[in-house]
């Protein structure tokens, strides 16, 4: 692949990942490993490949944008796991791998002879990550889709307007959270393997990853018996921390401490609010939320959201208008965060732009910029490699 400028070698260089996953959680975890230098070989179904290759519109010039956003820096091989010869190649790949990621239904890989117990006998250093919707015990037969888990796991019960319908988050957030948990678990297991030589079986499920991310909302229930409910854009424990109406639209205001609230009051011309016993502390503001928000709305109605954003930001009060995704990317660019990378096909031609891996390194990490593979693009080369190199080989990065 590319070896563009950078002072730090890629930390996962030499790690081979056998990616038997599809849709979002698994591929997002493995693209993280690929961005960090691992060689990721994506095993796909002949003819159709990963389901998300067909999840469009929208489509870019090279394919479905859903697929492309989470499959860069990978190689693709099509294997029919019901065919004995292809299954033998799949097993050869798994026995060479440092990491295997799969999201088959519980028991599916075992039926193919590709389960952890079957592989670790010959590959004891294998880190094997299985992703399910609801685990491999009582939830083994339940179909795990992000939307369903948002509903059953409680996230939708706290998302939406107070008097409106429960709402899902605007991205498949549970899949994303599970992907990050998967990557963290794999990296930890690889670190442990460096000391012990032993791999591990990691089991992840969407429901547990969601619950692990409910943070203060889950602890409100566990620690105080409070069942959180929908509050729109308001915060259960901080005020003001929500959208507030200005003359021409909403403004996000996030006062995380009393000092910020005092500066907000000063900019709005109501300095006395900061010393008013009803609003002087955050706890008091939470108790008197409705009265305070009415006062703030009255002041903010006198000018545009953009005007207030400028004045509040100048006063070190966290505030901003609601932006589009494009405007958010433009903001990151203006702040020097370099949020995107260009990706190239095998000929070196730039074929698209993607959000980069979010970690910045010092010294710089050489970025990997290979475009998502065409279906089966690397199949011939991988088949030849697996056939001619049947023994375990960790120095297999392309």
């Amino acid at each position: 692949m590319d070896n563009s400028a950078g002072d730090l070698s890629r930390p996962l260089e030499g790690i081979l990942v056998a990616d038997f996953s599809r849709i979002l959680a698994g591929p997002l975890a493995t693209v993280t490993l690929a961005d960090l230098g691992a060689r990721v070989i994506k095993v796909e179904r002949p003819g159709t490949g990963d389901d998300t290759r067909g999840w469009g519109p929208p489509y870019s010039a090279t394919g479905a944008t859903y697929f492309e956003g989470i499959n860069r820096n990978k190689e693709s091989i099509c294997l029919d796991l019901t065919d004995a010869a292809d299954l033998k190649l799949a097993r050869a790949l798994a026995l060479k791998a440092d990491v295997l990621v799969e999201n088959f239904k519980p028991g599916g890989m075992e039926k193919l002879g590709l389960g952890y117990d079957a592989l670790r006998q010959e590959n004891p250093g294998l880190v094997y990550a299985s992703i399910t919707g609801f685990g491999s015990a009582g939830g083994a037969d339940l179909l795990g889709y992000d939307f369903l888990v948002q509903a059953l796991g409680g996230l939708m019960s706290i998302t939406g307007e107070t008097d409106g319908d429960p709402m899902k988050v605007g991205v498949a957030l549970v899949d994303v959270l599970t992907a990050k948990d998967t990557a963290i678990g794999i990296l930890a297991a690889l670190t442990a393997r460096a000391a012990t030589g032993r791999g591990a079986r990691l089991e992840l499920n969407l429901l547990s990853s969601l619950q692990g991310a409910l943070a203060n909302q889950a602890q409100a229930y566990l620690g105080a018996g409070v069942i959180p409910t929908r509050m729109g854009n308001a915060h259960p424990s901080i005020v003001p921390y929500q959208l507030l109406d200005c003359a021409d639209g909403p403004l996000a205001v996030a006062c995380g401490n009393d000092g910020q609230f005092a500066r907000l009051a000063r900019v709005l011309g109501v300095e006395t609010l900061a010393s008013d016993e009803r609003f002087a502390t955050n706890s008091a503001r939470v108790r008197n939320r409705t009265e305070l928000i009415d006062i703030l709305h009255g002041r903010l109605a006198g000018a545009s959201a953009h005007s207030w954003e400028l004045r509040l930001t100048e006063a070190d009060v966290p505030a901003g208008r609601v932006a589009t995704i494009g405007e958010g990317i433009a903001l990151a660019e203006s702040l020097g965060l370099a949020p995107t990378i260009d990706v190239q096909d095998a000929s070196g031609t730039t074929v698209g732009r993607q959000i980069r891996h979010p970690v910045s390194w010092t010294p710089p990490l050489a970025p990997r910029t290979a475009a998502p593979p065409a279906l089966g693009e690397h199949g011939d080369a991988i088949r030849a490699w697996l056939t001619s190199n049947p023994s375990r080989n960790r120095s297999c990065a392309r």
Side-chain angles (χ1 to χ4, degrees), residues 91-171:
R91 181 176 173 81
L93 174 62
L95 291 177
K96 283 177 173 289
D98 298 279
V99 176
L100 186 150
V101 179
E102 61 92 7
N103 61 353
F104 281 55
K105 291 180 181 179
M109 290 288 276
E110 284 75 11
K111 291 178 181 178
L112 294 168
L114 297 174
Y116 175 63
D117 289 334
L119 296 174
R120 68 172 175 167
Q121 304 302 320
E122 297 180 57
N123 186 2
L126 179 64
V127 174
Y128 191 109
S130 297
I131 302 172
T132 62
F134 299 94
S136 58
D141 294 329
L142 299 177
L143 297 177
Y145 286 89
D146 178 279
F147 176 65
L148 181 62
V149 177
Q150 287 198 36
L152 290 173
L155 183 58
M156 286 177 64
S157 75
I158 58 171
T159 306
E161 294 297 333
T162 302
D163 56 354
D165 292 333
M167 298 293 291
K168 70 177 182 66
V169 181
V171 69

